[in-house]
Amino acid sequence: DVKVTQSSRYLVKRTGEKVFLECVQDMDHENMFWYRQDPGLGLRLIYFSYDVKMKEKGDIPEGYSVSREKKERFSLILESASTNQTSMYLCASTPGAGTEAFFGQGTRLTVV
Amino acid sequence: QKEVEQDPGPLSVPEGAIVSLNCTYSNSAFQYFMWYRQYSRKGPELLMYTYSSGNKEDGRFTAQVDKSSKYISLFIRDSQPSDSATYLCAMSLTSGTYKYIFGTGTRLKVLA
């Protein structure tokens, strides 16, 4: 089974902190994604990566950056956390474009 | 108009009922269709993955795609309380794109 593991289930951070969310997949997938999920808004794509060191902006990249130094690991960085970044963050991976996406268990981030 | 529309529910049914969950979409180029189940405070898990039109069955679950009507459905037979979750539809274009479009999810409650 594909396993996508996010480093934290719950995080509480202060406004202005730099926050790192880590994601690791064990199936040698090419593509990795970061989404945020908010009630009534569904999943919104923040960034994705289709290869090591390659990244593309999604629909809502402002206030975020990403890093993919190794194929299995994709990190989301909140440069200066703000309260409007309180959300559920979901990492996903896929073996190829258009194929089924596999998700991690999610990180519920609260910024106070 | 959103690219994918999904009734948010909640949908409450008695145990043993047949459940029908639906999504409509506007982009006729979508070729890959997925259904995810998401339990509270967890990441989405893939239930069904279909390509183009037609039906696909897996146990108590049947996914149906009608591309002429731009309409997809997930049927759950003999629903159980453990099926209580939020169900998300998702779709993507043919190969060469990394963009997935998700519905906002339908919350289902199966009453014992």
Side-chain angles (χ1 to χ4, degrees):
Chain A
D1 279 354
V2 174
K3 194 162 185 186
V4 180
T5 303
Q6 294 182 228
S7 53
S8 303
R9 289 291 308 278
Y10 300 95
L11 275 179
V12 180
K13 296 292 181 180
R14 294 196 177 277
T15 303
E17 276 193 77
K18 191 168 186 176
V19 181
F20 294 85
L21 303 183
E22 307 285 342
C23 176
V24 176
Q25 51 95 1
D26 66 358
M27 284 302 290
D28 201 36
H29 284 175
E30 301 292 330
N31 312 306
M32 297 187 74
F33 303 78
W34 276 105
Y35 292 89
R36 63 178 282 177
Q37 185 178 32
D38 300 288
L41 297 178
L43 275 76
R44 292 181 291 166
L45 180 64
I46 304 171
Y47 268 96
F48 68 95
S49 168
Y50 52 90
D51 201 352
V52 176
K53 298 190 186 293
M54 306 302 287
K55 59 187 178 185
E56 293 279 348
K57 291 180 180 179
D59 299 318
I60 52 163
E62 297 78 19
Y64 303 95
S65 62
V66 290
S67 172
R68 194 167 180 200
E69 297 295 321
K70 293 185 177 181
K71 191 175 185 181
E72 67 271 17
R73 187 179 296 270
F74 192 34
S75 302
L76 179 70
I77 303 150
L78 285 67
E79 298 292 343
S80 177
S82 64
T83 54
N84 63 13
Q85 292 178 310
T86 291
S87 186
M88 172 73 132
Y89 289 87
L90 292 163
C91 175
S93 72
T94 73
T99 57
E100 60 270 41
F102 296 90
F103 284 87
Q105 75 275 31
T107 296
R108 186 166 291 276
L109 173 67
T110 302
V111 182
V112 297
Chain B
Q1 183 191 5
K2 288 183 181 178
E3 280 192 277
V4 177
E5 299 275 3
Q6 187 174 7
D7 188 328
L11 177 62
S12 293
V13 301
E15 184 176 354
I18 296 175
V19 176
S20 172
L21 304 167
N22 311 296
C23 287
T24 59
Y25 62 94
S26 57
N27 189 343
S28 58
F30 286 135
Q31 294 281 357
Y32 297 90
F33 303 92
M34 289 148 274
W35 283 97
Y36 289 86
R37 178 175 62 197
Q38 186 175 22
Y39 291 113
S40 181
R41 298 187 178 86
K42 298 283 181 68
E45 58 176 317
L46 181 68
L47 273 180
M48 302 288 280
Y49 172 73
T50 54
Y51 170 70
S52 198
S53 280
N55 291 359
K56 183 175 182 179
E57 190 172 318
D58 184 1
R60 297 185 295 111
F61 298 92
T62 300
Q64 196 171 76
V65 175
D66 182 349
K67 292 193 72 182
S68 62
S69 302
K70 300 196 191 80
Y71 190 86
I72 66 171
S73 300
L74 178 71
F75 297 97
I76 307 174
R77 289 184 298 282
D78 188 24
S79 56
Q80 303 295 310
S82 59
D83 295 327
S84 298
T86 296
Y87 290 80
L88 302 164
C89 63
M91 45 202 78
S92 68
L93 302 174
T94 53
S95 60
T97 180
Y98 302 94
K99 188 160 186 175
Y100 295 76
I101 306 297
F102 289 85
T104 51
T106 298
R107 197 150 51 97
L108 172 67
K109 293 182 181 179
V110 181
L111 306 170

